[in-house]
Amino acid sequence: MLRGGLKAVTAVAQRRRRETGPHTELVLAEAMAPMCSLMEAFQPLAEAAAAAMAELGRALQPVAQQATGSRCDRPPWATPYGPPPRRR
């Protein structure tokens, strides 16, 4: 067990120094395990949020079309307050 612990410490130290060794893949897998389980836990929440945002976008689409179609006499980039005053 002591020899295995020394190998693990050596592998982690190599990874911190950005070196590669025979156990680099194992160290990376062990370090990424909590992140992978966290991502798996949050996946249903992310899917539900994406579905809610898509539904909100569909619900707001008629309002957006109505707002953009209200002024036809000026281009969409023009301000409704007229041109800025000229400097003298």
Side-chain angles (χ1 to χ4, degrees):
M1 181 83 178
L2 184 62
R3 180 175 277 274
L6 183 61
K7 287 181 181 180
V9 169
T10 303
V12 170
Q14 286 175 342
R15 179 64 190 142
R16 283 189 169 178
R17 292 188 306 258
R18 299 184 188 274
E19 298 173 356
T20 56
H23 304 292
T24 303
E25 292 83 17
L26 295 174
V27 171
L28 290 175
E30 187 71 23
M32 291 301 295
M35 184 60 70
C36 291
S37 62
L38 183 69
M39 289 175 63
E40 288 175 6
F42 276 110
Q43 185 174 0
L45 179 66
E47 290 173 354
M53 292 301 290
E55 185 179 337
L56 179 64
R58 284 190 298 272
L60 291 178
Q61 193 170 16
V63 175
Q65 289 174 350
Q66 185 181 19
T68 58
S70 62
R71 294 285 306 224
C72 320
D73 60 338
R74 77 178 72 223
W77 50 264
T79 176
Y81 304 109
R86 294 184 179 236
R87 288 188 167 176
R88 291 184 177 187

